[in-house]
Amino acid sequence: MAQMSRRTCLAGLAAAATAGLPTGPAIAQDKAAPSLTPTILPPDPNTKTPTYKAPAGAVDTHTHIFGPNAKYPYAAKRSYTPHDAPLEAFREVHAKIGITRAVLVNATVHGLDNQVIVDAIAQSNGAYKGIANVDETTTDKELLALTEAGFKGCRFTFLGRLGGRPDMAKFNTVADKIKGYGWHVDLYLEPAIIEEFVPILQKLPLPYVIDHMGTIKAAGGLEQKPFVALVDLIRNDEKSWIKITGPERMTATGAPYADTVPFAQALIAAAPDRCLWGTDWPHPNVPAMPNDGVLVDLIPQFAPDPKQQQKLLVDNPVRLFGFAS
């Protein structure tokens, strides 16, 4: 049986919304799909209870749901195959680390099919928002359906291992399309292109969020050119937001990622009202799997002032993603 198309899923969503019913079609695996043997590490199954207690209403602004493939098949054209990391497992991790709200970023392994995130948001009673995968062919009807389902933006990856740079003309077409829906663009950049992208981002007609502290490498130090350019951009462009996420991707020393703390502190100091925190669970394509309890215990090191913790975890994401105050 062929995989259900993105357009079919969204048409079903629109119809269900009219009827007031949740969605969740059963989708069979395409027999021609590549092997389902995982090519990346699974998340740590033994989440530690962190010492740090997050404030009420804290938001994890960067997470993923993977499958399960039997219900939400992975795209045939994908750069990696994950272990299933379904909604139930995600909820268990959040219960352990004391986080109640989240932004679910649809991963490239699901292609343009956003149904896994649509369904998770529908079951969250307002606790989840979404970041979609769309392209220049996505229609206004589809964007409206996604907006009504709780999506607040779409993601673009600019990493060689995830397919490289998208066509910039198509990128600009999508940016123009989504701005009328109150969306932002979420950007996964490599450090080598940050300086090149500064003028491009400054000209964008809508807000943008940079993932994982720009994936800067801590070994390069605070004065490395990509990080200096990133700090200046975040400080000076009021449309910019930065995710204080991914220390496991930046570190040269490993857990508990002390070498990433000065970078987080510098970004928070540059734009205290436009910084966001997240875990990146289940941590696709990391060199060594982190423990989410350890990541939570970095928060008071990143932001020692409780007032800044409140901004980072609650006030800033509430403002950007439209969570209830």
Side-chain angles (χ1 to χ4, degrees):
M1 184 183 296
Q3 178 177 326
M4 181 176 288
S5 72
R6 166 175 59 88
R7 296 187 189 282
T8 303
C9 285
L10 284 168
L13 168 64
T18 302
L21 297 173
T23 64
I27 307 173
Q29 179 183 341
D30 187 341
K31 292 181 180 179
S35 170
L36 290 174
T37 301
T39 59
I40 63 172
L41 296 172
D44 189 330
N46 301 306
T47 305
K48 297 177 181 178
T49 300
T51 300
Y52 176 73
K53 303 299 181 185
V59 181
D60 180 345
T61 68
H62 197 98
T63 65
H64 309 284
I65 303 295
F66 291 147
N69 178 74
K71 185 175 183 180
Y72 304 104
Y74 302 129
K77 293 183 179 180
R78 58 182 186 269
S79 57
Y80 65 93
T81 299
H83 295 257
D84 282 349
L87 179 60
E88 294 76 15
F90 171 67
R91 285 173 166 169
E92 289 177 4
V93 170
H94 262 199
K96 194 70 176 288
I97 64 176
I99 303 295
T100 57
R101 299 192 284 191
V103 178
L104 307 179
V105 179
N106 199 11
T108 59
V109 293
H110 281 292
L112 292 174
D113 187 346
N114 295 288
Q115 196 66 41
V116 63
I117 307 301
V118 169
D119 289 353
I121 295 172
Q123 297 175 55
S124 75
N125 194 30
Y128 300 160
K129 303 292 183 181
I131 299 297
N133 289 332
V134 302
D135 67 11
E136 74 284 356
T137 70
T138 306
T139 67
D140 285 333
K141 182 178 180 180
E142 291 169 337
L143 290 172
L144 178 60
L146 289 169
T147 302
E148 291 175 345
F151 286 76
K152 297 295 181 178
C154 64
R155 195 186 200 202
F156 288 91
T157 61
F158 292 81
L159 275 66
R161 63 177 171 77
L162 294 179
R165 182 181 301 195
D167 183 297
M168 291 307 294
K170 294 178 180 179
F171 171 85
N172 289 327
T173 296
V174 172
D176 284 336
K177 273 190 172 186
I178 68 172
K179 65 184 180 182
Y181 295 90
W183 284 21
H184 62 266
V185 289
D186 186 280
L187 304 168
Y188 197 176
L189 304 174
E190 292 179 311
I193 65 173
I194 288 176
E195 292 176 273
E196 173 191 349
F197 264 69
V198 165
I200 295 171
L201 298 178
Q202 289 173 328
K203 293 177 183 177
L204 281 176
L206 74 174
Y208 58 91
V209 180
I210 297 175
D211 288 344
H212 306 325
M213 295 189 268
T215 63
I216 296 295
K217 299 305 179 186
L222 293 172
E223 298 306 316
Q224 59 184 292
K225 288 183 177 180
F227 188 66
V228 171
L230 179 63
V231 171
D232 286 345
L233 176 66
I234 297 302
R235 177 185 293 115
N236 296 317
D237 190 353
E238 293 292 330
K239 304 188 309 297
S240 68
W241 296 73
I242 186 80
K243 287 182 182 173
I244 308 301
T245 55
E248 70 277 13
R249 301 179 186 276
M250 302 170 58
T251 186
T253 59
Y257 316 114
D259 59 336
T260 70
V261 170
F263 295 87
Q265 290 179 341
L267 290 166
I268 291 170
D273 296 321
R274 288 179 278 110
C275 287
L276 310 159
W277 174 85
T279 60
D280 194 27
W281 187 91
H283 312 283
N285 296 294
V286 292
M289 186 57 58
N291 188 287
D292 291 277
V294 173
L295 297 180
V296 171
D297 277 335
L298 276 172
I299 293 170
Q301 298 180 57
F302 290 162
D305 182 354
K307 291 182 179 179
Q308 186 55 59
Q309 294 166 19
Q310 175 71 21
K311 286 186 177 184
L312 181 68
L313 297 170
V314 183
D315 298 346
N316 294 353
V318 163
R319 194 167 78 256
L320 180 63
F321 295 100
F323 286 100
S325 299

